[in-house]
Amino acid sequence: MAAVSPDGLRYPPAVQLLTPEGERVSHPDYSIDLSETDLRGLYRDMVLVRRIDAEATALQRQGELGLWASCLGQEAAQVGSGRALRADDYAFPTYRDHGVTWSRGISPLEMLAMYRGVTNGGWNPTEKRCALATIVIGNQALHAVGYAMGVQLDGADVATIAYFGDGATAEGDVNEAFVFAAVYNAPVVFFCQNNQWAISQPRDRQSRVPIYERAAGFGFPGVQVDGNDIVAVMAVTRAALDRARNGDGPTLIEAFTYRMSAHTTSDDPTRYRHADELEVWRLRDPIERLKVHLARQGMADRNFFDQVDREAEDLAVHVREGARAMPEPAGETMFDNVYAEPHALLDQQRAALVEFEASFADEVHT
Amino acid sequence: MTTMTMAKALNVGLRRAMESDSRVLLFGEDIGRLGGVFRITDGLQKDFGEHRVMDAPLAESGIVGTAVGLAMRGYRPVVEIQFDGFVYPAFDQIVSQVAKLHRRSEGMLAMPIVIRIPFGGGIGAVEHHSESPEAYFAHTAGLRVLSPSDPQAAYLTIQQAIACQDPVVYFEPKRRYWDKGDVDEAVDALDPSQAPDPWRARIVRRGSDVTVACYGPMVRTCLEAATASADASIEVVDLQSLSPLDIDTLAESVERTGRLVVVHEAAGSLGLGAEVAARITERCFFALEAPVLRVTGYDVPYPPSRVEEHFLPGLDRVLDAVDRAMEY
């Protein structure tokens, strides 16, 4: 039975396959077969992603990262959809989607590099089949549609997935992406993590109707899924990806979730939201419910959970040491790859910078 | 040699590019069945099909944003923005994504996208159809900016822009679309031994007293001024590449003439002329007989069409500036 939470929104959303108490429930339209190994793997993914996220937050507090955008609370939405992708599918994430990039085989240090300030990218998008994290809100939704149009022209069996948040649904680019995807019937899945907050603005500042309902106006299906239920997220995403690959066009998925942390490490959410809201969502934690489910069903025991925790701690050490050890890029690297073809002006500027900085090399520092 | 309009030369150039590379796609509003509002893509959808000449929804950010995705998939999109004043909805995608993705990806993602924009005034149009926004794009690192001035240059540079691995914003002087000129279709635009380097300025008329630098629609105006000039011998340099600027060719000319007048339709303040003046002053300070002068549009929104002849630099304003340079 759906209950209305303090934020006025109904919970659970339309599609749920694993309750906050860890019970598997059925849904008339969505089901998925996941083995014990699959479920344990998803649990491990979420724990490791949460640990990376906590470590990155700590590194920012220590001055080792310039910024971090935490995905705390959204692990099921990100890992569940990311793991639903096939190897040759293509993902277009935002700066908060560490669970997605993890699922695409991107290492934690590659995720952190941008926040450390040693690059504006971090990984090879073509090799990982995952675009670089887009910071400008909603830009990547159009890139995903364009990529999907290219897939369609190639006649390839590939789906693309565009990630964005509730705030981005107000952006023109996201709405244009919906239009283009619809009229070209592009093989794309729009995955909106409605984490209820666009920095300080609640969801009702972005949309008067539930976000998934907007899809109907553009002419393709929308579905709302419990974004903290990794089983349901995976089932719904897999179905949407299959729809795309089968030539049935785009789907909008609204993963109903919650941003448990601040917008970024520069934000202070106590200025705009109540702590009781956080308490309500703590009871819907995505990791805890899968853990309870695994334990109750006898799919995992204490040994397994302890082993995952130890792996997470080892990973945290690796992240901490690796972040600090990242080489400082030389100043002149700013000129690298601005253009793909030769550019005399930048060559001159680079040479001038190098010469100018070298002119101080002989100075004796006392 | 064939005599044809610039519009036709662009059309033939686009056709050549599509024939030589199957990854080249044309994408824009009304470019298919209609052939574009200026007919630049006339007949191309019929010959290459709807998959290679795609009519887009009426959304400029959508067109450029999806072109980014198509480029990531390995295509070479050539997008048409219908008019200069309608490029602004796509500005975010152009400066935040198209211009930066090669840098952001450490060279792993190329953005071989051409953004064609008919630009400039002089056609009696309503508001938003006569603007010259090239400085915004020339100011943006990661973009290249070209503007052809005659049919031969259009025929060659559109092919060279499409073959370029960098994104190119390609400004077509719309009031010169119907000017005719000789085009040598036998020249292979992509063979450097046959076709001139598109990123070099072109000395289009030799002279000895004053260099007049211009581009796009103003090249014809300046050539007419040079012909009309009774007193001064005017050398006309067509910059053609607005980013990067070929200051070497221009400086070589100014070293000989000692005087420079820069002409463009766009407003003067912080326009291309300001950059050219600064760079030439740095390079040619001791060769200059007069300060670098500019003849440009005024710092106002593009005026109603019945006023535009007062706004646009014409032959008389160019010659007036030449006289002032000579009098120093």
Side-chain angles (χ1 to χ4, degrees):
Chain A
M1 188 71 186
V4 179
S5 47
D7 52 21
L9 294 164
R10 290 196 164 272
Y11 188 90
V15 183
Q16 187 182 66
L17 297 175
L18 185 65
T19 70
E21 294 75 32
E23 283 173 48
R24 276 296 295 264
V25 290
S26 63
H27 188 277
D29 300 326
Y30 294 95
S31 63
I32 188 167
D33 284 326
L34 293 170
S35 68
E36 281 186 28
T37 313
D38 293 334
L39 288 169
R40 282 201 300 262
L42 293 171
Y43 173 83
R44 171 181 170 273
D45 282 336
M46 289 197 289
V47 170
L48 297 184
V49 167
R50 183 170 287 188
R51 190 66 189 87
I52 294 164
D53 191 76
E55 194 57 35
T57 301
L59 284 166
Q60 193 281 334
R61 295 294 182 233
Q62 295 157 22
E64 298 290 344
L65 302 181
L67 185 80
W68 182 251
S70 171
C71 66
L72 185 66
Q74 298 175 226
E75 295 88 350
Q78 296 181 3
V79 172
S81 58
R83 288 293 186 205
L85 298 171
R86 286 193 203 159
D88 56 352
D89 290 341
Y90 208 116
F92 290 77
T94 77
Y95 50 82
R96 197 189 301 290
D97 294 320
H98 317 302
V100 175
T101 48
W102 171 263
S103 304
R104 299 310 283 163
I106 289 155
S107 79
L109 293 176
E110 288 173 318
M111 296 173 201
L112 261 65
M114 172 180 95
Y115 292 100
R116 172 91 171 160
V118 298
T119 177
N120 288 331
W123 55 87
N124 184 330
T126 309
E127 179 193 311
K128 302 293 185 185
R129 313 287 299 155
C130 183
L132 297 169
T134 300
I135 296 176
V136 181
I137 303 299
N139 276 178
Q140 74 283 2
L142 283 166
H143 306 167
V145 174
Y147 192 92
M149 289 163 62
V151 164
Q152 202 172 34
L153 291 171
D154 295 341
D157 180 32
V158 166
T160 63
I161 186 165
Y163 288 90
F164 50 88
D166 43 304
T169 64
E171 287 279 6
D173 274 11
V174 170
N175 288 274
E176 291 186 22
F178 290 169
V179 170
F180 279 62
V183 303
Y184 294 109
N185 203 42
V188 62
V189 175
F190 296 111
F191 194 92
C192 175
Q193 290 169 75
N194 174 5
N195 69 11
Q196 315 302 331
W197 291 94
I199 305 190
S200 69
Q201 296 302 302
R203 197 270 304 157
D204 63 10
R205 182 63 64 173
Q206 317 297 339
S207 181
R208 188 161 162 171
V209 299
I211 287 164
Y212 75 97
E213 286 185 8
R214 285 194 180 178
F218 291 92
F220 52 86
V223 56
Q224 190 186 52
V225 62
D226 184 344
N228 287 15
D229 168 358
I230 197 164
V231 179
V233 168
M234 208 164 181
V236 166
T237 310
R238 199 170 270 180
L241 292 166
D242 285 343
R243 241 181 71 79
R245 286 196 209 91
N246 293 337
D248 295 327
T251 304
L252 170 63
I253 298 171
E254 176 190 356
F256 199 82
T257 181
Y258 193 78
R259 194 193 79 207
M260 293 296 286
S261 186
H263 165 66
T264 66
T265 44
S266 299
D267 178 37
D268 174 12
T270 64
R271 292 176 71 95
Y272 53 80
R273 67 184 190 188
H274 291 295
D276 57 352
E277 193 179 293
L278 212 61
E279 288 311 310
V280 168
W281 280 94
R282 225 182 282 283
L283 300 173
R284 300 169 183 166
D285 186 81
I287 298 182
E288 200 54 34
R289 77 174 72 179
L290 183 56
K291 186 176 187 179
V292 168
H293 178 68
L294 286 170
R296 283 213 190 127
Q297 298 298 312
M299 295 175 177
D301 56 16
R302 174 167 289 282
N303 272 342
F304 169 77
F305 295 124
D306 288 349
Q307 184 193 325
V308 172
D309 287 345
R310 275 196 304 277
E311 191 184 355
E313 286 314 306
D314 292 345
L315 184 60
V317 172
H318 167 72
V319 168
R320 188 158 60 241
E321 292 174 351
R324 288 179 176 145
M326 279 183 200
E328 286 295 302
E332 62 169 301
T333 61
M334 75 172 91
F335 296 103
D336 293 345
N337 299 306
V338 177
Y339 293 91
E341 297 197 2
H343 197 285
L345 178 68
L346 292 197
D347 291 344
Q348 288 163 19
Q349 291 183 0
R350 179 202 294 261
L353 172 72
V354 170
E355 188 186 5
F356 179 73
E357 294 189 344
S359 71
F360 298 100
D362 293 340
E363 285 186 8
V364 178
H365 296 278
T366 52
Chain B
M1 285 286 182
T2 316
T3 302
M4 64 177 78
T5 62
M6 180 188 285
K8 183 65 180 173
L10 287 165
N11 178 272
V12 177
L14 288 168
R15 180 180 292 276
R16 291 277 173 282
M18 295 188 76
E19 285 166 351
S20 66
D21 186 345
S22 64
R23 307 298 279 181
V24 174
L25 299 179
L26 308 190
F27 194 33
E29 297 159 11
D30 308 302
I31 65 163
R33 194 177 299 177
L34 181 66
V37 295
F38 290 107
R39 308 292 184 269
I40 305 302
T41 54
D42 191 31
L44 297 178
Q45 189 180 61
K46 183 169 68 68
D47 293 345
F48 291 95
E50 291 183 2
H51 293 305
R52 293 194 63 197
V53 181
M54 296 192 290
D55 280 311
L58 210 168
E60 290 79 8
S61 189
I63 291 168
V64 175
T66 49
V68 169
L70 284 161
M72 290 174 71
R73 183 70 194 174
Y75 285 93
R76 306 184 82 86
V78 181
V79 308
E80 177 175 304
I81 299 293
Q82 202 159 72
F83 281 91
D84 36 59
F86 304 145
V87 70
Y88 308 116
F91 195 68
D92 176 33
Q93 284 285 348
I94 296 172
V95 302
S96 299
Q97 304 298 335
V98 174
K100 295 188 174 117
L101 267 163
H102 189 260
R103 174 75 188 86
R104 188 179 302 144
S105 67
E106 314 283 4
M108 289 180 276
L109 286 179
M111 284 288 123
I113 297 172
V114 175
I115 300 166
R116 294 182 37 241
I117 308 177
F119 86 120
I123 63 163
V126 295
E127 200 180 1
H128 313 297
H129 292 69
S130 302
E131 300 185 7
S132 296
E134 63 272 19
Y136 299 128
F137 302 96
H139 186 71
T140 301
L143 300 177
R144 291 172 185 266
V145 183
L146 279 176
S147 184
S149 64
D150 61 39
Q152 178 75 62
Y155 172 74
L156 294 173
T157 58
I158 189 63
Q159 296 178 69
Q160 291 165 325
I162 292 168
C164 182
Q165 281 297 92
D166 290 316
V168 179
V169 186
Y170 192 87
F171 282 100
E172 300 171 2
K174 68 168 90 77
R175 70 162 136 156
R176 306 299 183 209
Y177 270 155
W178 304 283
D179 286 3
K180 286 185 177 170
D182 287 338
V183 174
D184 186 352
E185 291 181 64
V187 175
D188 180 353
L190 306 188
D191 179 352
S193 71
Q194 294 184 40
D197 183 345
W199 313 110
R200 298 304 297 263
R202 304 189 302 152
I203 299 174
V204 289
R205 181 193 166 104
R206 289 277 173 182
S208 54
D209 295 329
V210 187
T211 300
V212 173
C214 50
Y215 53 88
M218 286 291 101
V219 175
R220 185 176 128 187
T221 303
C222 294
L223 285 170
E224 288 168 356
T227 304
S229 174
D231 308 324
S233 167
I234 297 174
E235 175 148 313
V236 180
V237 177
D238 174 2
L239 295 172
Q240 183 167 282
S241 172
L242 310 186
S243 176
L245 278 170
D246 174 15
I247 294 298
D248 289 347
T249 298
L250 189 58
E252 183 275 323
S253 170
V254 174
E255 296 279 350
R256 281 189 283 105
T257 63
R259 296 175 183 85
L260 175 63
V261 174
V262 192
V263 184
H264 54 64
E265 285 187 23
S269 292
L270 296 141
L272 263 291
E275 180 65 23
V276 169
R279 297 243 222 125
I280 287 298
T281 305
E282 287 172 7
R283 282 276 293 272
C284 308
F285 186 70
F286 293 105
L288 285 170
E289 303 286 346
V292 179
L293 299 179
R294 287 175 290 166
V295 181
T296 68
Y298 297 103
D299 291 310
V300 298
Y302 196 87
S305 61
R306 288 190 181 279
V307 182
E308 72 180 341
E309 68 176 285
H310 301 280
F311 173 91
L312 292 167
L315 189 145
D316 289 336
R317 282 177 62 197
V318 174
L319 289 179
D320 172 67
V322 166
D323 288 347
R324 283 187 285 128
M326 292 302 290
E327 283 163 15
Y328 259 89

